[in-house]
Amino acid sequence: MAKKDFGSINTERQETGVNTGEVYAAIETGKHAYRQQGTASLEEQQERAAKLKTQGRKGCKAVRINTAFTPENHEYVKVMSKISGKTMTEFINVCIQAHREEHPEVYQQAKALIAAMEGKGGAADE
């Protein structure tokens, strides 16, 4: 099979009279909403983060931690999240929220203690 000869094609840039600003604006906004990220307001960012609906949302990131579990605890979270119809993250957040609501005074005392330790300039580290 013979190769095609592309030598006759004009590859030079041609002036079309189109305003490049309009072209760049069209590219920036895009014609389709599919797979495009926009910027979100601060309220929208906070709302998405609270609902854990942040995946792929520009400017909306949930706070993340890398946590290690014992095999028994991992299995428990996996099974209980599946049976309750939640993701593992949602299930863990529900457990933490329930514990936080059961012990608000302990949480406030712990925050005050940390603030007091930090106010001493790290004297607790010595």
Side-chain angles (χ1 to χ4, degrees):
M1 178 178 227
K3 292 184 177 180
K4 293 185 180 180
D5 181 23
F6 294 105
S8 62
I9 296 175
N10 182 6
T11 58
E12 296 295 318
R13 186 176 204 156
Q14 297 180 8
E15 296 300 322
T16 59
V18 175
N19 183 357
T20 56
E22 293 173 6
V23 172
Y24 287 129
I27 292 171
E28 182 87 17
T29 58
K31 292 182 179 179
H32 304 288
Y34 177 70
R35 297 188 68 122
Q36 289 192 9
Q37 295 180 349
T39 56
S41 67
L42 182 60
E43 296 83 25
E44 191 175 20
Q45 291 175 17
Q46 292 169 345
E47 178 184 337
R48 287 178 180 170
K51 293 181 180 178
L52 296 175
K53 303 292 182 189
T54 62
Q55 188 69 30
R57 303 283 195 250
K58 190 171 186 178
C60 300
K61 298 192 188 295
V63 177
R64 298 179 180 273
I65 58 172
N66 185 0
T67 307
F69 294 97
T70 62
E72 296 83 15
N73 286 344
H74 181 264
E75 183 67 22
Y76 177 81
V77 169
K78 191 172 167 182
V79 169
M80 295 307 291
S81 64
K82 190 175 282 190
I83 203 74
S84 63
K86 299 181 183 331
T87 64
M88 290 172 60
T89 300
E90 289 170 337
F91 178 76
I92 291 169
N93 277 320
V94 166
C95 292
I96 293 170
Q97 182 177 356
H99 187 272
R100 193 181 67 226
E101 289 172 355
E102 289 175 16
H103 308 288
E105 67 285 342
V106 174
Y107 175 61
Q108 292 303 323
Q109 290 172 359
K111 282 176 44 176
L113 179 63
I114 290 171
M117 289 180 4
E118 289 174 353
K120 292 180 181 177
D125 293 339
E126 295 176 2

